[in-house]
Amino acid sequence: MQTLSKLIKLRNCSILFLLFFLISCGSLKQPKEIQQPINYSDHEIVEIEVKRINSMIESEPVRALWRSVLLGKQDIIDRTRTNVELLFKSAIEEKDYYEAKKYYTSLAAIGWSDSDYNRKIIDELSAKDIPGLGKNDLAPKSISECMNATVTIWVDRGVKVQNGAGYADVVLGSGFFIDERGYIVTNHHVIDSMVDPKYEGYSRLYIKLLDDPDTKIPAKVVGYDSILDLALLKTEITPKYVLNLGSSKELQVGDKISAIGTPVGLEGTLTSGIISSTERKLFTLGNVFQIDAAVNSGNSGGPLIDNNMKVQAIVFAGMPRYQGLNFAIPVEYLRQELNLMYSCGEVVHPWIGCFGHTKRQGKKKTGLEIQYVLPGGSAAMAGLVPGDIIVSIDGNPINSIDDFQFLMMAYEPETMLECTYVNSDGKEQNKYIYLDRRPKNPGQVVCESDFVSNSFVPLFGMKLKASSTLNRNSYTIESVVKGSTADEMNFSEFDAVTVKDVKIDNDNEYIFAQIYARRRKKGFLDITMVLATQLDSPYYF
């Protein structure tokens, strides 16, 4: 399915002699200057920052609080904190517990507490009424009952005309009930035309039950996450059975699982197999399972259940570039996101404007190493720099980039958190970070905000430094990120690189760099090549 193929993000790749990009993409202009950290010792700059904070208090209250904390002026901190406190209490009174959690978390980061509420109470209130997380009296007791807890997703997109003939344009998928009120989980790509603002055609959403496949029951989209390919639907019926969500953290390679769905329109199909891998990076956030249970187009959105008849993952299928291989989204990601899909509709992921990898000491994972910091981003303003190793966020230990990304799935943008990190001197320190909205294409933001010499770190894995005062496009490689495009293409330190042009293909979400290089590992052979990489990757955070 084309929409799914666009969703799946490959790891950094390279294309040699890709000459067609010269006419198919637009050249990217370097910024004349990059945003620098605020100099809090300059009185005039501080006064400008105070005015900026005051202008944010109403529209961005948590950002105003965060910047006042960075500024360090107690009167400004007191004013912005009091404003967020009032917003928290107002959200509690209005029973908007999800919004209240954002304010509480931000206040708690700087040591604030409330006599009536603590983190546990706020978490319980914000999870109240969330489908899939409460008591389930309709849990199936047999495989046949599990199958009756699944549905066929039917998206009617009218009629399409091919070669002068009209055909029904229908998207088929699978889903399953997670709540007796009629809430259903499926894949985002199955219902994409229902929520895509660029789609201008006819689109109607229905479900079909296994015991009544001829009746189309209207449904609506409650929430969705296009990055993790999840969607929450609602239909006005009471299901016979509701599946329980398991805990896929316990799944290991070789464990037996079963998939239920509607492959190529065949309702109520059950296939079995094992978990082949638990750490495939096909999305730009998190890992997915690779499975050997047979699934086909139409299985997408169906449940992957274990021997205890609990959902351990959500199948997604129909990827042409992975013929013969099948994958599923861990149910832990669904658990993290149900609150957001139910409360917010579209899930918008946060980030702090960094790029990095898991830090390892031998085989042990010891934190998340920052290898690039976006100028003007949250991390840069907070004072984090390349080489810092994040070991904790909001009191939660971070041993890897996967830990960080999984934790961030539960937070909403516009939240302030405390970050603990180890600096280059080996000392553990704390900073306050603000969660911005993750851009659709972080790589494009990097290119537009930073110089080529710096932006090549997250894009291609090479840190450049100027090597000529006469030719500003001439560089020497200062360092190479292990496992990156540069590393895989045998670039190394001290190689000479001249950047001829940088272009962006927004349609396919790629960036291309035409370079002239002399690589030591290739006998210093002069070569002109084109490097290519996607504008997003699992290593932006």
Side-chain angles (χ1 to χ4, degrees), residues 182-397:
Y183 287 96
I184 297 167
V185 168
T186 187
N187 283 148
H188 164 264
H189 77 266
V190 174
I191 54 88
D192 178 52
S193 61
M194 297 295 299
V195 296
D196 184 0
K198 296 181 180 179
Y199 181 78
E200 298 178 349
Y202 176 88
S203 187
R204 295 292 184 271
L205 175 62
Y206 304 92
I207 67 162
K208 291 184 176 184
L209 303 178
L210 181 60
D211 57 5
D212 187 10
D214 296 326
T215 301
K216 296 188 296 183
I217 302 170
K220 65 178 181 179
V221 179
V222 175
Y224 61 94
D225 181 350
S226 58
I227 292 181
L228 286 178
D229 199 17
L230 294 172
L232 181 65
L233 315 181
K234 176 75 164 65
T235 186
E236 299 303 322
I237 65 170
T238 300
K240 291 182 179 179
Y241 303 102
V242 172
L243 290 174
N244 281 323
L245 303 182
S247 178
S248 52
K249 290 180 180 180
E250 305 300 324
L251 279 186
Q252 304 291 330
V253 173
D255 286 351
K256 295 181 179 179
I257 42 81
S258 298
I260 305 174
T262 309
V264 294
L266 301 175
E267 296 95 343
T269 298
L270 174 73
T271 56
S272 297
I274 61 169
I275 298 291
S276 303
S277 174
T278 59
E279 296 185 350
R280 297 299 186 210
K281 287 191 178 298
L282 298 187
F283 294 162
T284 54
L285 292 175
N287 297 319
V288 299
F289 296 150
Q290 181 181 332
I291 60 176
D292 80 334
V295 297
N296 290 278
S297 180
N299 271 108
S300 290
L304 194 72
I305 61 174
D306 61 13
N307 291 333
N308 296 317
M309 291 173 288
K310 291 186 176 181
V311 179
Q312 296 292 0
I314 301 90
V315 174
F316 64 96
M319 296 184 299
R321 69 178 69 190
Y322 288 106
Q323 287 291 337
L325 300 178
N326 301 310
F327 305 93
I329 305 160
V331 74
E332 302 297 341
Y333 298 169
L334 174 64
R335 283 182 171 275
Q336 285 282 74
E337 297 221 327
L338 276 172
N339 196 332
L340 284 81
M341 289 194 290
Y342 180 77
S343 303
C344 302
E346 180 183 6
V347 176
V348 179
H349 289 277
W351 83 324
I352 62 173
C354 289
F355 173 91
H357 287 74
T358 300
K359 180 69 174 179
R360 300 175 186 270
Q361 290 183 351
K363 294 184 178 180
K364 184 179 179 181
K365 300 175 182 179
T366 58
L368 171 54
E369 182 179 7
I370 298 174
Q371 294 166 317
Y372 173 82
V373 178
L374 178 73
S378 166
M381 291 194 64
L384 293 172
V385 298
D388 289 342
I389 301 170
I390 298 175
V391 295
S392 175
I393 294 287
D394 196 25
N396 299 285

Side-chain angles (χ1 to χ4, degrees), residues 84-100:
V84 176
E85 288 176 14
L86 292 174
L87 290 170
F88 166 72
K89 292 176 182 178
S90 176
I92 290 292
E93 290 175 0
E94 296 174 4
K95 296 185 178 180
D96 187 352
Y97 299 123
Y98 183 77
E99 192 75 359

Side-chain angles (χ1 to χ4, degrees), residues 426-477:
K427 296 180 179 179
E428 194 170 282
Q429 296 183 327
N430 296 321
K431 297 284 187 182
Y432 296 104
I433 57 173
Y434 179 80
L435 304 184
D436 280 311
R437 296 167 65 96
R438 181 186 176 98
K440 179 182 179 182
N441 293 319
Q444 182 170 354
V445 176
V446 168
C447 291
E448 294 172 348
S449 305
D450 209 344
F451 298 134
V452 164
S453 57
N454 298 324
S455 64
F456 267 42
V457 174
L459 294 175
F460 305 112
M462 60 174 78
K463 179 72 170 70
L464 305 178
K465 65 178 179 180
S467 61
S468 173
T469 56
L470 298 178
N471 184 357
R472 63 186 181 89
N473 296 322
S474 181
Y475 303 94
T476 299
I477 296 180

Side-chain angles (χ1 to χ4, degrees), residues 154-173:
W154 179 286
V155 181
D156 182 358
R157 302 203 297 190
V159 176
K160 62 181 178 181
V161 178
Q162 291 181 339
N163 300 322
Y167 300 89
D169 187 3
V170 176
V171 177
L172 288 178

